[in-house]
Amino acid sequence: MPKYDHLTIEPKWQAFWEEKQSFKTPESLSGPKYYVLDMFPYPSGSGLHVGHPEGYTATDIVARYKRANGFNVLHPMGWDAFGLPAEQFAIKTGTHPAITTAQNVANFKRQLKSLGFSYDWEREVNTTDPDYYKWTQWIFLQLYKKGLAYIAEVPVNWCPALGTVLANEEVIDGKSERGDHPVIRQPMSQWVLAITKYADRLIEDLELVDWPAGVKKKQVEWIGRSRGCDIVFSLPGRDETIRVFTTRPDTLFGATYMVLAPEHPLVDLLTPDEHKDAVKAYRDQAARKSDLDRTEKAKDKTGVPIGANAINPATGKEIPIWIADYVLMSYGTGAIMAVPGHDTRDWEFADRFEIPIVEVVSGGDVTKEAYIGDGLIVNSDFLNGLNVADAKEKMINWLEERGTGKAAINYKLRDWLFSRQRYWGEPFPIRFDEEGNHHALPEDQLPLLLPEVEDYSPPQGDDPQPTLNKATDWVNFKEDGKSWRYETNTMPQWAGSCWYYLRYIDPKNGDKAWDLEKEKYWMPVDLYIGGAEHAVLHLLYARFWHKVLYDAGLVSTKEPFTKLVNQGLITAQSYRGKDGYVHADLVDETKPGTFVNRETGEELEAQIEKMAKSKGNVVSPDVIVAQYGADSFRLYEMFMGPLEQSKPWNTQSIEGVRRFLERTWRLVLDTENDNLNAALVDGWGNDQQLIKEAHKTIKGVTGDIEGIRFNTAISKMMVLVNSLTKAKQKPRDIINRLLILLNPFAPHICEELWDRLGHDTPITAETWPTFEEELTKEELIQMVVQVNGKKRDTLEMAADTDKDSALAQAKALDKIAGYLDGAQIIKEIFVPGRLINFVVRK
RNA sequence: GGGGACGUAGCCCAACGGCAGAGGCACACGGCUUAGAACCGUGACAGUGUGGGUUCGAAUCCCACCGUCCCCA
């Protein structure tokens, strides 16, 4: 094997690592530890694309680096395998989702293994495995017992034409994805988790973690905590009242109407007969819209008056009550006081329906648009002359004294709707008695297995029903002479991913979800890498469960993930013609920048986009690994640019890193005859410059890995390899160290060369090299000498030259002296090792 | 519609506020070669999207605009 042949080397070392269990997690629970985690994938039918391994390569580099630095490393992988695609495939073909899932997992695993990742596969988890979801059910019971899981009537996407409940992904613009039938929102009994009880802690504890500022911000905004006031509006001639939440109690005098959500329970009661038809028609119409259509997308506000009034507690006047779909039942109390002068949506509504608009904060022109800003309060009796902030306080006090309102905090975050009407999810460990009361399933009956069904689509009929209702033999059972019924909703896909990082710690424990001692050692996750698309939901849900477990004494840390990094998207050029996307394989570049469809000759528009099957721009790692090898692939993905940044894939550029590996290969081996390179010499050699460069490289690469700057780390190793290529003598002590540095990035070739160099133990067992600080510094440096910020000369001097001496030397330079002659020096700037700048005035 | 990230050479990207260049792709030339490939060597190419501001000094900090991508969906 004279030449670098990845097809031989890579499988050889993968088999070696597997046989030797090189990456088995140490059992020891003492000494420094490092837990480095990937967001585990959903094993789809189409396999990995080159975007997946970007994050996995990054974590693998860190894992291998930390092992070499003496850490006990936990670096696991698993499968988030419940989910819609397998179920939809099952509905179409009748194949059990477990079978599809097993096939997809096998394919993903093959692909991951082909890339040489150092996962401890003994710790693999699969959320669909009963041994795993047993504990997902168990954690649900912990929430249930603490009163954090409750049943509520919540609307589902109900498609009468299909007679089935649809997932959000199956609804597009209010129509079913299949068949394009109308979808309405119909209430159904469902489990809800009380995440809002943790809202404040989910905000506050973000201070404890090292996460991208953008992710923290998104979480805070998602939780949407706002301070304001609950106000009670009384109804003339009735005992009932309407409670609203507002962040602007200062504008109460300007509230000229009220709006209830169409679903609001008081609507039926308050609507007089002559308005009932109009109200019913409007409610039916609103049920067909998603929340998004009702709020964000709505251009024209709609609504109808219900024919009843409420009393504004500030003015004492009656104001009309409307229903309108821009008010959601799920936010606040499902009712608002409308202040058209100072709220944009209220203004648009009032403008359209000719409802009076009253200015109560000065500074704008409320006849033209709502004025949101600060200003002095007007037309508001005892608030007049105050600014907005003071008026808020005074109004809250006034309302509290009169018992018609109080300060309140509201969240945009809703409690977590935890039921799905699907087959392929965790069954709830809940049973109902004959009276319909729910009870926890005894823990010794876990796991509650998914029953077999004949087909996997939800039952069709006149009412929404979960799929498991079809499993009638399973649903109803007798125990101790009583009739029972299992819960037939299943849990959402988020459930399994809320705690998988804990199961990795103790994945085979049959008695407990995890051992507390092991948890204490390994937690928290030190580094968590995954896509930015999980910035809110997955991370928020997992943090919520973690806090519940923390309160129960089951985990030892408040937060699960100490440092979070989002890898950037790997994008690729896609091509679009008048009939849609054309697969990249069918496109020719006839001249630079001109792309044509090879078959039709049509000129195509090229753009760089996220990879997607539908866009025909997906690149599979299988092809790249076969052609260039896993090492080149890993190296290229890291060399493309900063990890967090999105970067365009360009297969041609892999050539560069491949050549780098081939040059590294030739440092060690003679490609003509398979002997070691004759230029190899023992020790460090006698080229002082080269020795210095080696020390600098060790320092630089180490710092770059610590800072997750893999692209510049690779560049530094390329520099060293280029120097070694030029050097007449190739010192083994330098090459050995180079290989250890390169090993986390390109482990197969390093293991092979290490072996060829005659080492008895594998490079994966080696210790990270150290460097001498003294040898990383240059003795002589080039100083730039500027006058008024313009470079006028350079000056070579010892690196440790002090300011006075350096300035004196600079002034003595002929060119500089010319500029200083007859001028007044206002300022002398000395940047050690960099430059000198004289600021002068003539 | 809202939010975020990013605009540096033909392309991907480097550059604690201090001489715009680490590395790579592509390109050109030279060496090696019967020739080509591979390999080795050499070198040409930008003043940092635009306009302001702060500073002795701005690719870097601030403001506005333009463009691209991503997220909310």
Side-chain angles (χ1 to χ4, degrees):
Chain A
M1 186 174 40
K3 282 204 168 163
Y4 168 42
D5 175 18
H6 63 272
L7 291 173
T8 314
I9 290 170
E10 293 181 350
K12 171 181 153 189
W13 289 106
Q14 284 161 18
F16 175 89
W17 296 324
E18 191 157 339
E19 193 207 326
K20 301 284 182 198
Q21 296 192 297
S22 303
F23 308 121
K24 189 174 156 53
T25 312
E27 292 298 331
S28 158
L29 299 184
S30 63
K33 67 92 188 180
Y34 200 84
Y35 186 177
V36 51
L37 181 67
D38 292 293
M39 290 186 187
F40 65 165
Y42 173 76
S44 70
S46 42
L48 292 176
H49 65 70
V50 295
H52 289 104
E54 188 192 12
Y56 305 159
T57 304
T59 54
D60 200 57
I61 290 166
V62 173
R64 288 172 179 268
Y65 167 77
K66 288 288 177 183
R67 284 191 201 101
N69 279 281
F71 287 81
N72 289 332
V73 169
L74 177 55
H75 185 43
M77 181 47 83
W79 317 105
D80 188 16
F82 278 125
L84 265 191
E87 174 163 315
Q88 279 169 335
F89 186 75
I91 291 169
K92 255 187 272 170
T93 64
T95 313
H96 196 290
I99 294 171
T100 324
T101 300
Q103 288 167 352
N104 294 349
V105 163
N107 188 41
F108 263 63
K109 200 167 167 181
R110 173 191 64 76
Q111 290 185 299
L112 291 179
K113 285 194 166 182
S114 79
L115 290 164
F117 294 133
S118 65
Y119 294 119
D120 178 359
W121 286 106
E122 295 294 306
R123 292 184 180 239
E124 178 179 357
V125 302
N126 182 328
T127 55
T128 66
D129 183 343
D131 287 339
Y132 181 91
Y133 71 67
K134 171 182 178 175
W135 301 110
T136 310
Q137 292 171 337
W138 180 80
I139 294 172
F140 176 83
L141 287 182
Q142 309 313 306
L143 282 122
Y144 176 81
K145 287 171 186 168
K146 285 177 162 278
L148 294 169
Y150 62 95
I151 290 183
E153 289 282 322
V154 182
V156 296
N157 300 310
W158 169 242
C159 180
L162 295 174
T164 185
V165 173
L166 299 176
N168 286 335
E169 301 92 303
E170 296 171 306
V171 182
I172 294 165
D173 289 334
K175 301 277 180 65
S176 63
E177 190 186 13
R178 276 180 300 139
D180 209 28
H181 303 295
V183 173
I184 61 167
R185 311 255 289 164
Q186 173 118 343
M188 186 176 160
S189 235
Q190 299 183 77
W191 287 97
V192 179
L193 300 186
I195 190 172
T196 53
K197 287 197 175 153
Y198 283 75
D200 284 339
R201 285 166 66 187
L202 288 167
I203 294 173
E204 287 156 17
D205 288 351
L206 286 172
E207 283 177 22
L208 304 175
V209 295
D210 176 13
W211 287 14
V215 175
K216 290 189 181 183
K217 189 177 165 209
K218 274 184 187 165
Q219 295 225 336
V220 170
E221 284 172 1
W222 187 264
I223 295 167
R225 183 188 148 110
S226 54
R227 289 176 50 83
C229 178
D230 274 340
I231 302 178
V232 177
F233 285 69
S234 55
L235 301 165
R238 287 184 178 277
D239 293 336
E240 293 85 5
T241 56
I242 297 175
R243 203 164 58 85
V244 304
F245 172 82
T246 178
T247 57
R248 295 295 304 273
D250 53 303
T251 62
L252 181 55
F253 281 93
T256 52
Y257 64 102
M258 297 194 76
V259 182
L260 301 181
E263 306 86 353
H264 198 286
L266 279 175
V267 174
D268 280 331
L269 185 74
L270 299 181
T271 306
D273 288 343
E274 64 270 27
H275 282 83
K276 285 237 153 78
D277 288 346
V279 165
K280 183 177 184 311
Y282 186 77
R283 290 177 113 178
D284 290 348
Q285 183 194 324
R288 290 195 199 95
K289 293 190 196 171
S290 71
D291 288 355
L292 199 67
D293 290 329
R294 286 170 52 163
T295 52
E296 311 276 320
K297 285 186 181 168
K299 292 195 187 81
D300 294 319
K301 298 277 178 288
T302 60
V304 293
I306 66 167
N309 291 333
I311 296 168
N312 181 326
T315 62
K317 288 182 188 156
E318 292 196 12
I319 55 176
I321 302 171
W322 289 62
I323 57 173
D325 62 14
Y326 77 94
V327 174
L328 299 176
M329 198 57 222
S330 58
Y331 182 76
T333 60
I336 63 160
M337 64 177 219
V339 183
H342 306 284
D343 179 279
T344 309
R345 289 170 308 171
D346 296 346
W347 191 93
E348 287 167 5
F349 191 86
D351 186 53
R352 173 153 186 207
F353 293 105
E354 296 179 348
I355 300 168
I357 298 172
V358 175
E359 180 184 56
V360 290
V361 182
S362 59
D365 180 356
V366 300
T367 63
K368 296 210 171 67
E369 61 179 359
Y371 177 66
I372 319 292
D374 198 359
L376 297 183
I377 305 291
V378 294
N379 298 324
S380 297
D381 194 355
F382 60 90
L383 297 180
N384 286 341
L386 297 175
N387 64 30
V388 166
D390 292 342
K392 280 183 185 176
E393 291 309 312
K394 191 159 184 183
M395 178 55 90
I396 291 171
N397 289 337
W398 186 83
L399 289 165
E400 283 180 343
E401 278 166 24
R402 300 165 58 98
T404 53
K406 62 175 194 303
I409 288 167
N410 193 55
Y411 301 94
K412 218 175 337 180
L413 179 72
R414 304 271 52 100
D415 273 349
W416 177 11
L417 173 55
F418 199 65
S419 289
R420 298 293 182 271
Q421 293 72 46
R422 320 300 307 187
Y423 174 75
W424 194 227
E426 300 88 345
F428 282 82
I430 292 290
R431 57 188 185 180
F432 295 88
D433 61 24
E434 289 166 9
E435 285 77 43
N437 301 311
H438 48 80
H439 301 272
L441 203 63
E443 285 185 16
D444 61 14
Q445 291 188 26
L446 298 182
L448 176 60
L449 297 175
L450 261 179
E452 296 299 322
V453 291
E454 291 195 1
D455 82 292
Y456 303 92
S457 49
Q460 300 187 354
D462 298 332
D463 295 309
Q465 288 184 58
T467 304
L468 290 186
N469 277 9
K470 283 184 170 179
T472 44
D473 294 347
W474 175 83
V475 172
N476 300 295
F477 63 101
K478 297 233 181 223
E479 193 176 289
D480 299 335
K482 289 182 191 160
S483 294
W484 298 86
R485 173 172 70 77
Y486 282 125
E487 168 63 57
T488 53
N489 283 290
T490 51
M491 298 187 201
Q493 195 179 354
W494 305 110
S497 59
C498 270
W499 73 284
Y500 73 113
Y501 58 94
L502 291 166
R503 187 62 177 173
Y504 283 138
I505 287 168
D506 196 9
K508 298 198 170 136
N509 196 327
D511 301 325
K512 290 188 268 187
W514 57 84
D515 177 85
L516 295 184
E517 283 303 305
K518 291 180 182 171
E519 186 281 331
K520 208 168 173 183
Y521 178 70
W522 286 111
M523 285 299 287
V525 174
D526 296 283
L527 177 64
Y528 192 26
I529 296 186
E533 67 273 21
H534 294 116
V536 178
L537 295 182
H538 159 60
L539 289 168
L540 198 64
Y541 293 152
R543 293 178 62 219
F544 162 51
W545 277 33
H546 195 85
K547 288 183 186 306
V548 174
L549 296 169
Y550 177 78
D551 291 346
L554 293 164
V555 297
S556 58
T557 64
K558 287 186 178 173
E559 285 288 327
F561 314 120
T562 302
K563 183 176 171 69
L564 174 75
V565 175
N566 294 130
Q567 85 269 20
L569 227 41
I570 293 190
T571 53
Q573 194 136 307
S574 64
Y575 306 93
R576 207 162 32 199
K578 60 181 189 301
D579 300 323
Y581 284 99
V582 178
H583 197 281
D585 290 346
L586 302 174
V587 175
D588 281 335
E589 187 168 11
T590 50
K591 57 184 180 194
T594 303
F595 302 93
V596 298
N597 184 329
R598 191 175 307 142
E599 284 164 0
T600 65
E602 184 195 0
E603 192 165 320
L604 303 168
E605 205 182 320
Q607 55 276 312
I608 292 195
E609 289 182 295
K610 185 175 175 171
M611 285 189 190
K613 223 174 172 178
S614 60
K615 293 172 182 162
N617 64 346
V618 174
V619 179
S620 163
D622 288 349
V623 177
I624 307 298
V625 168
Q627 193 174 348
Y628 298 94
D631 285 336
S632 294
F633 177 83
R634 294 166 56 119
L635 215 42
Y636 174 60
E637 292 226 332
M638 296 300 101
F639 188 58
M640 288 169 78
L643 184 65
E644 293 98 322
Q645 199 169 299
S646 84
K647 306 156 283 258
W649 178 270
N650 178 8
T651 301
Q652 199 176 34
S653 290
I654 300 178
E655 296 282 358
V657 292
R658 168 79 194 195
R659 280 179 205 150
F660 161 64
L661 291 181
E662 285 176 352
R663 273 201 292 278
T664 307
W665 181 268
R666 290 196 303 269
L667 289 178
V668 175
L669 294 166
D670 190 324
T671 52
E672 297 298 313
N673 55 24
D674 207 23
N675 291 336
L676 287 175
N677 189 330
L680 283 170
V681 294
D682 286 344
W684 285 87
N686 48 23
D687 182 338
Q688 293 308 313
Q689 206 48 47
L690 193 59
I691 294 169
K692 265 192 162 184
E693 227 182 293
H695 281 268
K696 273 192 201 170
T697 307
I698 296 168
K699 180 181 181 178
V701 171
T702 306
D704 283 349
I705 293 177
E706 291 280 354
I708 314 194
R709 294 182 298 268
F710 303 129
N711 54 328
T712 52
I714 293 165
S715 161
K716 289 179 174 101
M717 291 187 280
M718 285 174 167
V719 173
L720 183 60
V721 167
N722 290 343
S723 298
L724 283 163
T725 298
K726 276 181 212 170
K728 294 232 162 47
Q729 297 190 329
K730 327 280 187 201
R732 280 179 182 253
D733 280 357
I734 293 178
I735 289 178
N736 284 340
R737 284 168 175 79
L738 167 69
L739 291 177
I740 301 172
L741 295 182
L742 181 59
N743 183 55
F745 299 81
H748 309 86
I749 188 175
C750 290
E751 200 74 86
E752 176 72 19
L753 293 176
W754 188 257
D755 183 49
R756 298 294 195 102
L757 282 166
H759 297 281
D760 296 330
T761 51
I763 198 168
T764 41
E766 279 304 310
T767 301
W768 198 252
T770 55
F771 58 91
E772 284 178 42
E773 187 68 40
E774 275 309 301
L775 289 174
T776 64
K777 289 181 182 152
E778 294 297 337
E779 283 127 31
L780 285 179
I781 47 165
Q782 293 281 327
M783 292 284 279
V784 172
V785 185
Q786 296 182 336
V787 177
N788 285 344
K790 288 202 177 79
K791 178 187 168 185
R792 296 302 183 190
D793 206 349
T794 59
L795 180 58
E796 190 171 77
M797 64 178 74
D800 55 0
T801 308
D802 64 31
K803 180 176 178 177
D804 290 343
S805 160
L807 288 176
Q809 287 181 52
K811 283 177 192 165
L813 291 167
D814 288 347
K815 286 185 199 163
I816 301 304
Y819 282 102
L820 299 184
D821 187 35
Q824 184 193 354
I825 299 179
I826 299 166
K827 207 169 175 183
E828 293 172 337
I829 290 150
F830 174 74
V831 184
R834 293 283 186 178
L835 62 62
I836 290 162
N837 185 16
F838 297 106
V839 184
V840 302
R841 192 161 51 198
K842 287 273 178 187

